Amino acid sequence: MASIKDIARLSGAGISTVSRVINNSGYVSEATRKRVEQAIAELDYRPNAGARVMRSGRSNLIGLLVPSIKVDFFARLSHRLERRLFDQGYQTLICSTAEDSQHEAEYVRMLLAQQIDGLLVVPVGDQPQAFDKLRQAGVPIVALDRSLDDPAATSVRADHFGGGQLAAKHLIDLGHERIAVLGAPAQSPPVQARAAGAVQACAAQGLPAPTVMLGPDHTVQDCAALARQLLDRADRPTGIVGTSDIAAIGILHAARAMGIDIPSQLSVAGFDDTPLASYVFPALTTIAQPIDRIADEAIAALLEMIRAPSEAVAKDTVLPVALRQRESTGPAAPDETEIA
């Protein structure tokens, strides 16, 4: 394995100069820096992480805990966070908790051992004590997508409740009175908030409380199975709010298999505005989450906590969502009480 002495010998620079280049500290002329960087590349030099922490007090590692990298929203959010952190000189350790508190605890222990500089986390629950050891070690934490039940915690998330209201209000404005909410996973705080927002929107308009069906598994197949149960009722809804685009696509598949036309007999809205939303048939009306803003705001907050901890102020940032109206929603039939 190459050493700093090897780099100094190959580049013709002093050991202290090589150290300044590696640690990006102190002045080094451009010509000398290029020679040292070329020698580092030729020798495939990789600095020892433990030694770097001892010298600088930082590992330049950020932990990222998400429920699943198979879910499009979390995959895109993870990609955005990793790229932005890399541009800021940090490497990201991405871990999938599978919505399991034990997985989360194991990863927290691992990240603590890796001496991460900060943590970005979509928490499994709202229990702040799950991260006590990191806090005791002085590791700053920013919650994503969900808040932590801790006044000292910083979080960045979309307005899930407002998005549920917006989706239901869109259906109400189209004349729908029998509205339902369907999605998964039932234990997800954002899913619960979206459902609650839709229920509130119906109540505000004096409509009957919508049927809410939340299942345990967040797949197209499982959501389609839930939708078949809902659509098989004699008083089936004419409008459904899916708590995600995956849920909404499951509803589309179930309706098509049952011979229910969308949107003339059933209107469906999703949540997230994933790339697939524009390409399914019919194109999906959905609530768009501001993924780029969530990532940028979270990184800005975390880096402030890392670089100036005494100046950082805990805050809960809730970002607005937007309706993307496409082809899966339309006016309610003239006589909504007549079931096709």
Side-chain angles (χ1 to χ4, degrees), residues 279-316:
Y279 294 102
V280 295
F281 183 79
L284 187 63
T285 294
T286 188
I287 302 298
Q289 292 204 65
I291 287 184
D292 287 352
R293 280 198 64 192
I294 292 172
D296 292 346
E297 294 269 358
I299 289 172
L302 187 67
L303 295 186
E304 180 184 4
M305 296 164 74
I306 292 172
R307 295 167 179 171
S310 62
E311 300 175 14
V313 178
K315 56 184 177 181
D316 180 24

Side-chain angles (χ1 to χ4, degrees), residues 100-152:
D100 184 278
S101 58
Q102 185 60 38
H103 285 194
E104 183 178 69
E106 290 291 336
Y107 276 129
V108 166
R109 281 193 284 272
M110 181 275 288
L111 293 171
L112 184 61
Q114 293 294 321
Q115 298 180 284
I116 57 172
D117 289 340
L119 176 68
L120 296 165
V121 56
V122 181
V124 171
D126 60 357
Q127 302 303 314
Q129 63 268 26
F131 307 99
D132 281 350
K133 290 183 179 179
L134 286 170
R135 289 195 182 89
Q136 291 163 9
V139 177
I141 300 171
V142 174
L144 297 166
D145 191 53
R146 310 168 185 180
S147 59
L148 283 168
D149 187 17
D150 179 0

